[in-house]
Amino acid sequence: MTMAWEQSWRRPLVCHPVLAGLTVFSLLLGAVGQEVTTYVDGLGGSDHFDGLSLDVVGEQGPKRTIQAALDAAAAAPPEVTPHVVVLPGLYAERVCFPPRDVILNSADPDDPEIVAATCLAGAAGADSPFPLALLFSGATGPGTIVRGFTVRTGTGRAIECRDGAAPTLSGNVICANPAGALLSIDSRPTLTACVVYGNGPVDAAGTVCCIGGELRLLGCTLTGNVSATSVTCQDSRLTVRNAILWDARTASGEPGLQIDCRGGSVAHVTYSCIAGAHRGVAGQVSLGQGVMGVDPQFADPASGDVHLRSQGGRWTATGWLADASTSPCIDAADPESDVAAEPEPHGGCANLGAYGGTAQASHPAAVPAVPAAAALSVARVAGSRASVSLPATLLRGAGRLIAAWPLNENLNDLSANGLHLRPEGHVRITAGAL
């Protein structure tokens, strides 16, 4: 049986709007010597092709394997940023990154159907009998970005970082890896907006294990992993922000720790939901501002759907759905986080977890009415000498005050007394000390 995504991605590939846009974008940037794009098609490509075209014309056409595309991209001049775009398919290979910046994307990292259909399954290597999907080592820096894949080996480990590697992994789904999601040794990886679920059992090392170096988990969701610990650190530094770490369980079903800092490890956690809060961590773990330990209310964690439930509506593949309850992780991220991509209405603050700050962020529940006496007076609004009085609503959060009122004038980028005004339909003011 041919799947729907297979039908849409078979030849002529260049007609697909996503890939057509990528082609034009690549040509424009390539003309000024800033980008070279190599394409990968596991169904119709060949490693004998140059990888610079979506269509097969003579020796031109997409590569068949990701590794061949990365090897070709590594030969680009130092001033060029190589991009590799991977079409949907199952890629059973161990992908080893070159010692330079390279960007590896699925064909549309923002399309969950494409992310699910572009699977990195890994392969065994000389140093390991079990499959490994992604290997970063040495001079791989933060300019190396992997975005928009499902990393699912079935019998191995998803990702390894060694010898100082510092890649950025963004918007990936990492699941069904019995040997763990990530092993980092003396390296500095960053995970942003990743969903890590259903991995293990890895009782000894943890689903995510950092030995030496540093690890950053920003806006990620880890849940339903079979392990004694969601994140284990040994003689390393850990930063967790805007994340949800929930429901780690041992193979026998006992609740596990969310963070275990061993040796000289230090972890700093802010604006995150950590199962058990202080009871869910061990070692030198600082739980700072905005940390909670209450149920994040995932939509369907057993199937990997970690969208946040909301009476105001949550994203589904078939449209927005209203729930009977609302997650406390909505509008609970660091107030400095970018909320622009979240669909309106939102509360002026991003959500926690992998979908916070994205187009799939759940809406908040309706803001309750407040007494008319509650008001905030703002004088000397930029661009105007007039004073205005605004009905104010006090929302949950550490002293965070949000005021809103109907906008009747065309105002742009206003600020008053250090407060930022958003002039779209309703204007919201956020402040930390009022």
Side-chain angles (χ1 to χ4, degrees):
M1 181 178 68
T2 302
M3 301 298 288
W5 67 262
E6 289 184 280
Q7 295 174 347
S8 68
W9 286 89
R10 292 188 185 278
R11 299 293 177 190
L13 291 173
V14 74
C15 293
H16 193 283
V18 172
L19 290 183
L22 284 170
T23 305
V24 173
F25 183 64
S26 303
L27 289 174
L28 288 175
L29 290 182
V32 295
Q34 294 182 358
E35 178 185 317
V36 171
T37 299
T38 304
Y39 298 97
V40 181
D41 180 1
L43 294 175
S46 169
D47 288 344
H48 296 295
F49 295 153
D50 60 11
L52 301 180
S53 171
L54 293 169
D55 287 332
V56 177
V57 180
E59 294 300 313
Q60 293 184 336
K63 298 285 188 182
R64 184 181 65 83
T65 64
I66 299 172
Q67 189 62 59
L70 286 176
D71 292 344
E79 67 274 10
V80 172
T81 302
H83 284 225
V84 175
V85 176
V86 181
L87 274 62
L90 180 67
Y91 296 88
E93 56 179 301
R94 175 180 287 205
V95 179
C96 301
F97 281 74
R100 62 167 299 166
D101 288 348
V102 60
I103 297 174
L104 179 69
N105 284 344
S106 66
D108 188 352
D110 296 320
D111 185 332
E113 184 177 354
I114 298 301
V115 173
T118 313
C119 181
L120 309 182
D127 59 342
S128 174
F130 59 76
L132 175 66
L134 299 172
L135 176 60
F136 305 90
S137 59
T140 304
T144 290
I145 300 171
V146 178
R147 183 167 179 257
F149 294 90
T150 294
V151 190
R152 183 179 61 236
T153 64
T155 57
R157 179 179 293 129
I159 305 157
E160 283 190 14
C161 299
R162 305 173 183 170
D163 305 321
T168 299
L169 297 109
S170 179
N172 302 291
V173 177
I174 306 170
C175 62
N177 299 284
L182 169 67
L183 173 62
S184 175
I185 301 175
D186 295 325
S187 296
R188 297 176 291 111
T190 297
L191 273 64
T192 67
C194 288
V195 176
V196 182
Y197 82 96
N199 298 282
V202 223
D203 282 350
T207 301
V208 173
C209 182
C210 182
I211 303 173
E214 182 178 6
L215 171 65
R216 299 198 305 161
L217 299 176
L218 310 179
C220 292
T221 298
L222 283 71
T223 188
N225 296 293
V226 182
S227 174
T229 311
S230 288
V231 183
T232 299
C233 296
Q234 178 72 44
D235 299 316
S236 55
R237 297 184 304 277
L238 172 66
T239 299
V240 179
R241 186 169 70 250
N242 294 350
I244 302 174
L245 277 61
W246 200 259
D247 195 29
R249 294 188 176 272
T250 66
S252 61
E254 295 297 319
L257 293 171
Q258 305 310 313
I259 301 173
D260 186 5
C261 282
R262 305 172 182 175
S265 296
V266 177
H268 297 280
V269 184
T270 56
Y271 298 100
S272 294
C273 182
I274 308 295
H278 286 89
R279 297 188 306 277
V281 302
Q284 194 170 345
V285 181
S286 169
L287 299 183
Q289 189 171 11
V291 175
M292 64 180 75
V294 294
D295 185 355
Q297 299 189 39
F298 296 130
D300 186 6
S303 66
D305 185 354
V306 294
H307 291 86
L308 302 177
R309 291 181 175 271
S310 175
Q311 294 162 290
R314 63 175 163 87
W315 184 95
T316 73
T318 57
W320 290 84
L321 176 68
D323 296 298
S325 59
T326 297
S327 167
C329 297
I330 293 175
D331 291 347
D334 187 335
E336 298 299 318
S337 301
D338 188 2
V339 72
E342 290 198 2
E344 292 282 1
H346 57 67
C349 190
N351 297 348
L352 298 182
Y355 300 112
T358 76
Q360 295 183 41
S362 299
H363 297 305
V367 176
V370 294
L376 171 67
S377 294
V378 179
R380 298 184 61 81
V381 176
S384 169
R385 295 293 180 181
S387 297
V388 291
S389 182
L390 315 174
T393 303
L394 183 63
L395 302 183
R396 65 177 176 273
R400 195 161 52 87
L401 185 67
I402 293 183
W405 78 98
L407 183 66
N408 298 318
E409 297 180 278
N410 184 21
L411 306 177
N412 295 303
D413 276 340
L414 303 181
S415 66
N417 300 339
L419 310 181
H420 299 290
L421 284 68
R422 296 167 49 84
E424 55 245 25
H426 282 67
V427 176
R428 293 182 179 86
I429 297 179
T430 355
L434 286 178

